[in-house]
Every structure is written in C-alpha cells, then in structure tokens.
Amino acid sequence: MTKTALITGASRGLGAALAEALAPEHHIIAVARTTGALEELDDRIQAKGGSATLAPMDVTNADAMATLCRGIHDRWGRLDLWLHTAIHAAPLAPVDHIDAKDMAKSVAGNVTATATLIAYVAPLLGAEGQAVFFDDPRAGEKFFGSYGATKAAQIALARSWQAERARIGPKIQILTPAPMPSATRARFFPGEDRSALAEARSEAAAIIAQL
C-alpha cells in the first residue's frame, strides 16, 4: 500500500523541503494557498520519481479541509503522516498597537485551523499514523505579541492531543527546527545575515530521521 503524507503549508520553506524529502517513499498531499508554488513543487517531486496531489486551499476554510480529508479517505482510506507547517505570521508590533484584523487572522490561521484540522485528520491517522507540529517559541518576546501568543496556543493544542493519545495513538511529535532563511523569518528579521541559518533541506532530513 502506498504511504501517504499530508503536508499543510507545503508551497515553500520547510514544508516544501519536507515534501521533496518524503516523496520517494510517500505520495505527497500538498496543501497551500499558492498554486504556482505548488506546481513548482510538483515538478521537483516528479523529477525525483515521486508523486503528489496538489490541494491549493486555505487551511482556515473548514469546508475545504473537510472536503480534502474526505477525498483522502475515499482514495487511500488513511494517512500515514501529517506535517503541519502552515503558519500566519502577522507583522511585528507592540501589543498596544496590534491591528485587530492581523490578530483575527493569527487566531484563525494558527489556532482555529489547527484545532479543526486535528479533528478532521485524526480519524485518518488512526492508531498507527504520526502527526508532527513545529514550535517557534516566541511567546513573550518584544513585538511578537500576535504571532507568539497564537503560535504558543497552537503548540498547546498539539501538546494536549499528544498527552491524550500517548497510549492509543496516533503518535504526536512537537519539534523545534533550527532557524532557517524562510520568507517568514525575513519579515521578522530584515537585514539578518542569512548565511548563518540552517538550510531547509538539512532540517527536513533531520526531522525525517526522527519520525
């Protein structure tokens, strides 16, 4: 039976690197909002002899996620692996200047969407599958109010699910990758010396070794 890996936030950065690294042994179900980037990812996967299903969707659209998960069930019956790299990174701002729309998007993308996806994906993973979340502990740092708070809430959801499923599965992992030269980090730290950051491909390889 073909192994399947769902990657939410697969169009670039760590998500794309994970998709490429897993593709030789897994059929990749790649979710992201950017169709062009997904198509470029698909080209790279096919060049390596792998295969992918592209799902140009917004993870905050609960109906779209329900349709996606039903499609996965109908086609494969289950998932072996879910890696959740999708994140909304609101602009940095002092807490008393956080834009209400940015905060709402952060809650929707980082917290509500995660809870919704866990509910939809859990039955597909069953007892034997794995889910992986990626921490970026910024809570309490200056200007990271909306991102730090909602990222911490996302990881709190994952930790609760991890504790609840420790004996019965699926296996839940929460990893903290090394800083990478992602588009998100460039927005947070403009002008940073990116040569000192880890490559997404090397981080993806290290993560897969822990699965």
Side-chain angles (χ1 to χ4, degrees), residues 14 17 178 180 197-208:
L14 181 60
M180 292 166 281
L197 302 177
E199 291 186 354
R201 289 184 178 181
S202 64
E203 283 303 294
I207 288 164
I208 290 170

Side-chain angles (χ1 to χ4, degrees), residues 25-199:
E25 296 183 359
H26 295 74
H27 179 80
I28 305 299
I29 301 142
V31 179
R33 290 180 297 177
T34 310
T35 301
L38 285 177
E39 291 173 344
E40 291 173 2
L41 172 65
D42 188 36
D43 290 342
R44 296 194 299 273
I45 288 173
Q46 289 191 45
K48 295 181 178 181
S51 64
T53 296
L54 307 183
M57 299 175 173
D58 188 335
V59 296
T60 66
N61 185 328
D63 290 341
M65 293 302 98
T67 299
L68 173 68
C69 290
R70 179 54 189 262
I72 292 170
H73 176 270
D74 290 346
R75 183 171 177 182
W76 293 285
R78 64 187 302 275
L79 268 176
D80 294 285
L81 185 60
W82 171 35
L83 301 109
H84 187 47
T85 66
I87 194 72
H88 177 74
L92 300 185
V95 171
D96 54 351
H97 285 72
I98 292 175
D99 182 83
K101 290 182 179 179
D102 285 334
M103 191 67 196
K105 288 181 179 179
S106 297
V107 172
N110 302 340
V111 186
T112 306
T114 301
T116 300
L117 280 163
I118 288 172
Y120 290 166
V121 173
L124 296 169
L125 292 172
E128 303 299 325
Q130 294 188 63
V132 187
F133 298 86
F134 301 95
D135 198 4
D136 184 13
R138 298 286 175 189
E141 292 188 15
K142 293 189 297 183
F143 310 117
F144 277 92
S146 57
Y147 175 81
T150 55
K151 185 63 178 176
Q154 180 190 79
I155 297 303
L157 284 169
R159 291 196 187 284
S160 291
W161 191 29
Q162 183 183 55
E164 293 155 3
R165 295 287 183 156
R167 294 185 178 182
I168 60 175
K171 182 178 181 181
I172 316 300
Q173 295 202 68
I174 300 164
L175 306 177
T176 305
M180 292 166 281
S182 64
T184 297
R185 188 173 178 88
R187 289 173 56 196
F188 287 160
F189 302 103
E192 179 183 40
D193 179 8
R194 293 164 73 85
S195 66
L197 302 177
E199 291 186 354

